[in-house]
Amino acid sequence: MKKEIDFVNSLSFVIIGSCLMSIVGFILMYMDKRRAKKNHWRIKESTLFITSALLGSPGVLLGMYAFRHKTKHASFVYGVPAILFIQIFALYYFNII
């Protein structure tokens, strides 16, 4: 017997998860920018991309432009919006939004 997916719970999971990971992504972008100015140990770009891929792309994107950080790196300028687009498409495709 096939179980039906509870879309209300799926949507709330996505919203809560995206909010939390966006906050994490925003803070990581702030911390990396601050460390870059002070020539300290930096956060790996892969960590920023993983955070973005785990529903944190809105926060990473917002942090990118709020702190003017990684805006000259094509991988971030095109990669993070691409991740966000793929996430929105997946949510639409699976009827979550």
Side-chain angles (χ1 to χ4, degrees):
M1 189 168 195
K2 185 178 177 183
K3 291 184 179 180
E4 290 187 27
I5 297 173
D6 185 5
F7 290 109
V8 174
N9 286 336
S10 298
L11 182 59
S12 54
F13 172 76
V14 169
I15 291 171
I16 292 169
S18 182
C19 288
L20 292 175
M21 289 306 294
S22 290
I23 291 169
V24 169
F26 189 80
I27 291 170
L28 286 176
M29 291 301 277
Y30 169 75
M31 289 171 51
D32 194 45
K33 176 67 175 192
R34 191 168 159 202
R35 290 175 180 183
K37 285 183 176 180
K38 294 182 178 185
N39 290 324
H40 287 159
W41 172 83
R42 304 282 301 279
I43 296 171
K44 293 180 183 180
E45 289 186 354
S46 62
T47 302
L48 297 172
F49 275 115
I50 289 169
T51 303
S52 183
L54 295 174
L55 299 178
S57 52
V60 172
L61 192 62
L62 184 63
M64 231 173 76
Y65 290 104
F67 306 121
R68 295 183 183 165
H69 188 54
K70 303 281 188 192
T71 56
K72 292 184 180 180
H73 292 82
S75 60
F76 278 88
V77 171
Y78 298 112
V80 174
I83 291 170
L84 180 60
F85 176 77
I86 291 167
Q87 290 170 341
I88 292 170
F89 178 77
L91 292 173
Y92 178 77
Y93 182 78
F94 292 109
N95 295 321
I96 295 175
I97 58 171

